[in-house]
């Protein structure tokens, strides 16, 4: 969703809930590079962006989830708020977004960079 679309949701009081999985990187791209290409991430880092802070001056509501233990509670709260809401969920950028199924080739390519990193770390220690 674009910022202008969110502002339109605010204007018309649409009950749209936007969930942003925030890890300060292009996480899906990063892990696709690792799994499909066997390469470490390249060009995936983003500067920190406060998505919840954007929603407020646009006259929308916003909630940030920074404690996984409160995730369910906060989602329930967001769903009860009338009008548009941005829910920004902070996640670990090193946690892979796993697909529903993983092929053996993908698993091997996923493991390659980590095996190489261990070999290099062992030589440095």
């Amino acid at each position: 969703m674009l910022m202008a679309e969110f502002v339109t949701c605010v204007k018309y009081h649409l009950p749209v809930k936007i969930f942003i999985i925030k890890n300060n990187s292009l996480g899906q791209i990063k892990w696709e590079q690792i799994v499909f290409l066997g390469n470490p991430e390249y060009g995936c880092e983003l500067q920190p962006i406060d998505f919840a802070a954007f929603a407020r001056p646009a006259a929308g509501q916003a909630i940030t989830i920074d404690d996984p233990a409160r995730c369910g509670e906060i989602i329930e709260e967001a769903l009860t708020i009338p009008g548009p809401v941005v829910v920004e969920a902070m996640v670990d950028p090193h946690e892979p977004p796993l697909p529903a199924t993983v092929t053996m080739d993908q698993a091997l390519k996923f493991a390659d960079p980590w095996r190489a990193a261990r070999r290099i770390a062992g030589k440095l220690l």
Side-chain angles (χ1 to χ4, degrees):
M1 173 170 272
L2 302 173
M3 293 195 287
E5 292 168 331
F6 183 77
V7 173
T8 300
C9 292
V10 170
K11 179 179 180 178
Y12 294 106
H13 308 287
L14 300 176
V16 174
K17 311 307 180 214
I18 300 155
F19 290 83
I20 298 170
I21 309 301
K22 180 182 175 183
N23 59 10
N24 294 327
S25 74
L26 298 172
Q28 188 68 40
I29 302 300
K30 167 184 163 178
W31 290 98
E32 284 177 351
Q33 288 177 3
I34 292 170
V35 171
F36 293 115
L37 304 174
N39 292 334
E41 60 187 277
Y42 175 77
C44 297
E45 293 301 313
L46 296 175
Q47 70 279 7
I49 300 168
D50 189 343
F51 292 101
F54 156 75
R56 293 182 190 102
Q61 299 290 319
I63 303 173
T64 299
I65 302 171
D66 54 11
D67 178 4
R70 297 193 58 225
C71 187
E73 166 194 336
I74 291 173
I75 289 173
E76 287 178 15
E77 176 187 344
L79 295 175
T80 63
I81 297 172
V85 179
V86 169
V87 179
E88 177 182 61
M90 312 295 286
V91 298
D92 182 351
H94 304 295
E95 187 71 31
L98 296 175
T101 59
V102 177
T103 67
M104 182 57 75
D105 185 51
Q106 289 171 333
L108 291 172
K109 285 184 177 174
F110 176 77
D112 284 345
W114 306 114
R115 283 196 299 263
R118 278 192 169 170
R119 281 194 304 271
I120 292 167
K123 289 178 185 175
L124 296 175
L125 298 176

